[in-house]
Amino acid sequence: MMINQSIAKEKSVFLLTDSDWHTRTIQFIVGILMLALYVWIGAGVLNLLFNLPEILKNGWAQIAEHIIVDIVLILAILELIRILQSYLSVGRVKVTFILDVALVVLIGELIGLWYKEYTFVEVGLHIAVITVLILLRIVSIRFSPNVID
């Protein structure tokens, strides 16, 4: 009986359906993704620091859009890391985290419209989508199966 269990255990190591193998592979892939995101954040911070001297030369108004967009992108990447960490710890992705990323990106796009020519329709659509995402986030928190977010 004990021999059969050890043989079955050795066979499951090579099966693709073995959940332990699958979990370790996903954790490895997510870890690589998180490392890539950390490198991307580092590059974004360096880009911001290198653009600061240009502000003194050219003035705030010309560089402000790029700095604001870069900061919003860094915040969106941090939210993506939060999603990956949630997946590793809980084993699933929470809807609220996905909505957070979408909100950060869309609010950044809305801020970016300030520096471009825009129509009221574009601004209205951005505000409408942001409003819907905020409502979805409130509903997802209110009716979440888990009390703790």
Side-chain angles (χ1 to χ4, degrees):
M1 181 92 160
M2 184 166 285
I3 296 173
N4 288 338
Q5 289 176 349
S6 66
I7 291 172
K9 186 177 180 181
E10 288 178 20
K11 278 185 175 179
S12 70
V13 169
F14 297 105
L15 292 176
L16 293 177
T17 57
D18 183 27
S19 63
D20 186 44
W21 178 86
H22 178 67
T23 303
R24 284 184 282 141
T25 303
I26 294 298
Q27 287 175 344
F28 177 74
I29 292 170
V30 169
I32 290 173
L33 286 172
M34 288 175 65
L35 278 174
L37 290 173
Y38 286 130
V39 169
W40 195 8
I41 288 173
V45 169
L46 287 175
N47 187 23
L48 280 172
L49 292 175
F50 288 139
N51 282 334
L52 287 177
E54 288 184 36
I55 293 173
L56 298 175
K57 292 178 191 173
N58 300 330
W60 173 255
Q62 294 176 356
I63 307 297
E65 175 187 359
H66 297 292
I67 290 176
I68 291 170
V69 169
D70 286 347
I71 290 171
V72 171
L73 282 175
I74 290 172
L75 290 174
I77 294 169
L78 288 172
E79 288 296 324
L80 285 173
I81 290 173
R82 190 171 142 201
I83 288 173
L84 293 173
Q85 288 174 335
S86 167
Y87 180 77
L88 288 176
S89 65
V90 180
R92 63 183 175 87
V93 176
K94 295 182 179 183
V95 173
T96 55
F97 292 165
I98 295 171
L99 291 172
D100 288 345
V101 172
L103 281 168
V104 167
V105 170
L106 284 172
I107 290 171
E109 287 291 321
L110 186 63
I111 291 170
L113 285 178
W114 181 265
Y115 299 100
K116 301 174 185 170
E117 289 187 26
Y118 57 87
T119 64
F120 288 114
V121 174
E122 288 176 321
V123 174
L125 285 173
H126 274 81
I127 291 174
V129 171
I130 290 170
T131 303
V132 168
L133 289 175
I134 289 171
L135 291 174
L136 283 173
R137 190 173 193 301
I138 291 169
V139 167
S140 70
I141 291 172
R142 176 94 169 117
F143 297 106
S144 174
N146 297 338
V147 177
I148 300 174
D149 187 25

